[in-house]
Amino acid sequence: MPKLHQRKYRKITKQILKRMAGYQQMSDAELQHQTQLLQRQVNGQRRNLKKVLPAAYAVVCEASKRVLGLSPFPVQILGAVAMEDGNVVEMKTGEGKTLTATMPMYLHGLAGRGNYLITANEYLANRDSETMGKLYRWLGLSVSSAVPQPGQDADQRDLAKIYQANIVYTTNSTLGFDYLFDNLAKTKEEQHLPSFNFALLDEADAVLLDAAQTPLVISGTPRVQSNFLGNADQVVKLLHQDRDYQISDDRKNIWFTPEGIVRMEKYLDVDNLLSHEWRDLYCHLVLALRANYLIKKNRDYVVHDDEVVLIDQHNGRELPGMKMQAGMHQAVETKENVSVSQEQRAMATITYQNLFRMFHQLAGMTGTAATDAKEFLEVYNLTVFKVPTNKPNIRIDLPDRLYITNQAKLVDSLQVVKQAYAQRRPILIETGSLELSVLYSRLLLQAEIPHSVLNARSEVKEADIIRHAGELGAVTVSTAMAGRGTDIRIAPAVEKLGGLLVLGTERMQNKRIDNQLRGRAGRQGAPGESVFYTSLEDKIVTEHSTRSVQKFARQHAQQQQQLLGKKSRFKHVIDRAQRFLANQQRAARFETLQYGEITRLQRKAVYLQRDQIMTATDLSAIIQKTFHFVAHEFVYHRGYQNHGETLLEFIYQNIDPSYRSATDLQLESRKQQERRLLQLMNDRLQRLHEQLVDQQQWLYFQRVTLLRAIDQGWIGQVDHLEVLMRVIKERSIAQVNPIYEFQREGQKAFDKMKTVINLKAVQNVTNSEIIIKKDGKIEIEFP
């Protein structure tokens, strides 16, 4: 961040603090009236927001003191000023990001709708919209929560009311799915989302980096269920590791050996399993192999109520509704002998990368961002601004304690927990996975140490647990990401004991997450301490370090002295592994962005066409253009001919099933054939129009038939792109750029989709049956 910008932000902060003195003298009514005055100055134009920023921020600061009893510190105001200038603001844990966010949210709320605060989970969205909503409402702005209320289903929400608000609190997934469903609407009245004007992301790194590649997918029509699932599962259960299949050292890949292929051919009584004839069977054998030996129960998924539910490995949170793609989920269901769900085609999809790049203005806040400043700038055009703490940070970050084996590490760390518990000093034990949090909980039970386990199974419960993790005698076991967004309250007596002790049982995927964990202690100038207990058997080491490290760990696993000293040649092994993994993840996110950009351009074109149809008051020109396209394509390019289909057959199939002709249509010139097709299409259209004399009903009929054609074509294209991406990623193409291949094949498919859409539109317009009900309403039966 250039010093010039820092000086500018501090100058504006001083202006705000100076203005606050004037607002302090106002009555409540006078202060509330400032919102109307500011709205007049903004006049709905977002370019005017920066002009009123000092006044708007000063109003919010004074109002928050009166309504919430909270007065922002100068550093919080500084952070809010930086947010408005296109920054991800790094504010340490406990520095008051929730209150800081009220300033830019109020400012943008002055310009109207389309402003979103993206929180870490649904509990926080509901909590903050309620607590901070008191402030916005007091100042005359509307606020809502877009996530379901406790006990409410998502489809019970009043979306029209929710998205009418000036400020909307929501989560990234809720916003993403609402956007996708909004663009499947049949009428403008069914669309609720306003323009994407401003988004402020809490825990921005978790959304824009950690979850950047996560695709939001709306599934639709089911695929045909395969008969090979059961047979494939039975066969792979008979195989033996090293003889029939092998697993990579990082346990991420698995493959059949030649001997295993031969053995399966005997089991299944097939010749040449790798031939094209048995390709589908072989694909299901690969899925079954991965399901049985790579994907683990209670680590990757749980089974309850006859259903396989995926788990986020980092925080243990269940992911209801999410499924593995390309038949993998069905393979796991078969393995677990539960009801096999139907694999469905993707109707609409978007990644968080593309979702948030659509916003006119973006800002973020998090406890850790500086380590990934370059990627924030390259992908989202966001710079990182580090806000100083209100009080000096006096937390003690001890050097890592590195062991050879996991067992030695856990045993020694348990001694530290026992000492802290004996002193009644609170300790937060952070683990990198649900599996390890459960294991550590068992160790504490054996040691008769009462504790709470925080593994993100319940967002409400998790917030309550983390809130009390700083009390005397509290022992809390937590997964790395659980409890984000909730402060740990430190009891006064705890400060005399040295504050909260954060004990990490392993280093995480990157330094940013490590720093988040350390930041749990020593908030707001309070004392605290952090230390990581690590080993050469930690996941980050085994998966991303050299074989020599793993060989050393195996050879010295029984060594009496397990603690490796500061001068050990392995002292930087974890830092190197983290750098290696960070580079891999960064490259993967950039690759996903490149693939997503191709899909984004196609999605934008389709959604634009849908919007034009939904807002048009006369669709006759669009329909005539469609008729001409189809007629010309058939006659001159033979684009719709299947195996030499004649013109008469084409008319029967797509325009008029009752058509009769005394002449041989094939003898007509191309120009005559084109005119005949156009005449037949318009004749059918005219007969339908005679049934619907009401102009509004006629417009509705045309709109629905066209939108249905677009949606049918786009659903097929989305599903095709998903499959195409997987195929291109998995195959090795010599001398060919896979991104280029995807772009080339994707464009071909897009052009074909447009041809299909036009034909479906003709079929819908000319062959649909209109049923007029007694109350005057119409129903449409499509061909």
Side-chain angles (χ1 to χ4, degrees), residues 530-542:
S530 74
V531 63
F532 280 87
Y533 277 69
T534 61
S535 83
L536 298 183
E537 293 181 341
D538 286 352
K539 184 178 179 182
I540 186 74
V541 178
T542 57

Side-chain angles (χ1 to χ4, degrees), residues 725-741:
M725 189 187 307
R726 288 198 297 268
V727 169
I728 287 179
K729 281 184 175 181
E730 289 172 3
R731 75 187 182 199
S732 176
I733 309 173
Q735 306 295 322
V736 176
N737 183 339
I739 301 294
Y740 171 75
E741 278 292 294

Side-chain angles (χ1 to χ4, degrees), residues 716-766:
Q717 175 69 355
V718 168
D719 190 62
H720 177 76
L721 290 175
E722 288 287 299
V723 174
L724 180 64
M725 189 187 307
R726 288 198 297 268
V727 169
I728 287 179
K729 281 184 175 181
E730 289 172 3
R731 75 187 182 199
S732 176
I733 309 173
Q735 306 295 322
V736 176
N737 183 339
I739 301 294
Y740 171 75
E741 278 292 294
F742 181 71
Q743 182 180 20
R744 187 171 65 85
E745 295 294 332
Q747 186 59 49
K748 281 183 183 177
F750 188 71
D751 293 337
K752 185 177 180 181
M753 178 204 73
K754 289 190 289 186
T755 305
V756 169
I757 286 175
N758 279 288
L759 180 59
K760 287 184 180 295
V762 168
Q763 292 170 341
N764 290 344
V765 168
T766 61

Side-chain angles (χ1 to χ4, degrees), residues 276-410:
H276 182 79
E277 179 185 1
W278 299 108
R279 182 178 62 178
D280 195 32
L281 172 59
Y282 181 73
C283 287
H284 280 82
L285 288 166
V286 173
L287 290 173
L289 187 70
R290 296 183 67 88
N292 278 276
Y293 303 115
L294 288 188
I295 300 175
K296 300 295 184 183
K297 185 177 180 180
N298 295 326
R299 184 195 70 182
D300 302 301
Y301 65 92
V302 292
V303 177
H304 51 65
D305 298 329
D306 195 40
E307 185 180 5
V308 169
V309 180
L310 299 183
I311 290 177
D312 187 319
Q313 287 189 38
H314 299 302
N315 58 28
R317 195 185 304 282
E318 292 183 9
L319 304 169
M322 291 193 69
K323 292 187 176 183
M324 291 172 279
Q325 299 294 307
M328 195 69 249
H329 204 87
Q330 288 69 30
V332 173
E333 289 171 329
T334 305
K335 162 194 170 184
E336 293 295 340
N337 197 29
V338 301
S339 299
V340 178
S341 60
Q342 285 190 305
E343 186 185 356
Q344 296 187 319
R345 303 169 71 198
M347 292 176 62
T349 181
I350 194 170
T351 62
Y352 291 132
Q353 284 174 326
N354 279 314
L355 178 68
F356 289 109
R357 279 157 55 94
M358 292 169 59
F359 275 87
H360 173 70
Q361 188 173 341
L362 202 61
M365 53 185 184
T366 182
T368 47
T371 53
D372 293 276
K374 185 178 179 182
E375 187 171 354
F376 277 119
L377 184 60
E378 289 177 347
V379 177
Y380 303 102
N381 198 28
L382 291 169
T383 49
V384 173
F385 179 76
K386 295 181 72 172
V387 177
T389 55
N390 185 50
K391 295 179 181 179
N393 180 12
I394 60 172
R395 184 186 67 242
I396 300 171
D397 294 325
L398 298 173
D400 292 0
R401 294 180 65 82
L402 178 62
Y403 295 79
I404 298 174
T405 64
N406 260 324
Q407 182 179 354
K409 171 189 74 174
L410 295 176

Side-chain angles (χ1 to χ4, degrees), residues 54-94:
Y57 278 24
V59 167
V60 178
C61 291
E62 177 58 28
S64 66
K65 191 189 306 181
R66 301 185 190 188
V67 178
L68 305 174
L70 299 171
S71 184
F73 298 121
V75 291
Q76 288 175 293
I77 300 173
L78 175 65
V81 171
M83 285 179 196
E84 182 51 30
D85 202 32
N87 288 288
V88 172
V89 170
E90 181 174 292
M91 296 178 68
K92 298 303 179 186
T93 302

